Amino acid sequence: MTKLSAEDLATIYAKPTPRVIAKARPAIDAHARKFIEMSPFCVLATSGADGSVDASPRGGGVGFVQVAGPNQLLMPDRSGNNRIDSFRNVVEGSGFVHLLFFVPGIDETLRVGGRGTLSADPDLLASMVEFGKPPRAVLNVAVSEVYFHCGKALMRSKLWSSEKVQRSVMPSIIEVIHDQTGLGERQSQEVVEEIYKTQL
């Protein structure tokens, strides 16, 4: 397989239009705020000190990421696998973060970039209780870039189509990890869903 160079890319892709460049804004405006306030899901991307990149899904109730100002977002951290790859990258790596927000039913997405810091301030945690629990920590993003992506990727994928894959076509995540590692006991999807009910 031939590797493309920067010069090759210039021959394959046209230059972006001035409008595409100008849409990247330095702060959260009214449109971006509305989108974030409607979003129950985003992907958090971070970079490590060794140049590695991590991307992880984050979700909660609609508007679970709070817009604290035109250049500040607050994201609560809920129960997970405790690998904390993203947060290690924030405190040990570059500190740069990017968030890609999704709103079910809307094909466009919103990208927000900036620098992240972490807080476990008790008052802040107490202000972000959800599912009956405070978060374990809060990611504070100092926002420096915000822009909307067009809907082509989600339209091509038909992500919001009513045609959904039946969950039964895949084994449960615990069964998958058991097969991959030999660790733990095999447990059905029904058991996993019962576990999730107490661990959100």
Side-chain angles (χ1 to χ4, degrees):
M1 182 181 294
T2 303
K3 293 183 179 179
L4 296 178
S5 66
E7 291 76 17
D8 294 327
L9 293 178
T11 66
I12 297 172
Y13 295 96
K15 289 184 178 180
T17 65
R19 185 167 154 176
V20 168
I21 299 298
K23 75 176 182 176
R25 312 307 300 163
I28 299 167
D29 68 0
H31 299 295
R33 172 186 278 271
K34 182 175 182 179
F35 198 90
I36 293 166
E37 290 175 346
M38 292 190 298
S39 175
F41 176 79
C42 67
V43 176
L44 168 64
T46 59
S47 58
D50 60 355
S52 63
V53 175
D54 179 76
S56 64
R58 302 294 168 124
V62 170
F64 76 103
V65 176
Q66 294 183 11
V67 180
N71 292 99
Q72 185 183 22
L73 289 181
L74 298 173
M75 173 189 285
D77 183 52
R78 304 295 173 193
S79 174
N81 59 20
N82 293 323
R83 284 182 55 113
I84 57 173
D85 297 314
S86 299
F87 284 176
R88 287 192 191 282
N89 286 348
V90 169
V91 300
E92 298 174 356
S94 70
F96 287 114
V97 302
H98 265 84
L99 298 162
L100 188 62
F101 287 94
F102 295 76
V103 174
I106 297 179
D107 288 326
E108 289 74 25
T109 54
L110 177 71
R111 181 186 294 194
V112 179
R115 279 190 174 272
T117 55
L118 295 174
S119 175
D121 177 79
D123 291 337
L124 180 59
L125 301 184
S127 73
M128 303 185 82
V129 171
E130 190 176 15
F131 308 109
K133 304 172 188 175
R136 298 174 299 175
V138 174
L139 175 64
N140 179 15
V141 181
V143 174
S144 58
E145 184 179 55
V146 182
Y147 64 92
F148 282 94
H149 283 281
C150 75
K152 292 177 184 175
L154 272 67
M155 292 171 71
R156 293 181 187 119
S157 68
K158 299 180 181 177
L159 187 61
W160 308 132
S161 168
S162 59
E163 299 175 12
K164 296 179 181 176
V165 173
Q166 294 299 311
R167 183 61 186 84
S168 59
V169 303
M170 279 288 291
S172 75
I173 187 170
I174 293 179
E175 290 172 318
V176 169
I177 294 172
H178 174 79
D179 291 345
Q180 293 172 336
T181 67
L183 299 175
E185 300 296 326
R186 294 177 63 86
Q187 292 177 309
S188 69
Q189 181 63 24
E190 290 75 20
V191 172
V192 172
E193 289 174 4
E194 287 301 314
I195 293 171
Y196 283 163
K197 288 178 182 178
T198 64
Q199 295 184 358
L200 289 179

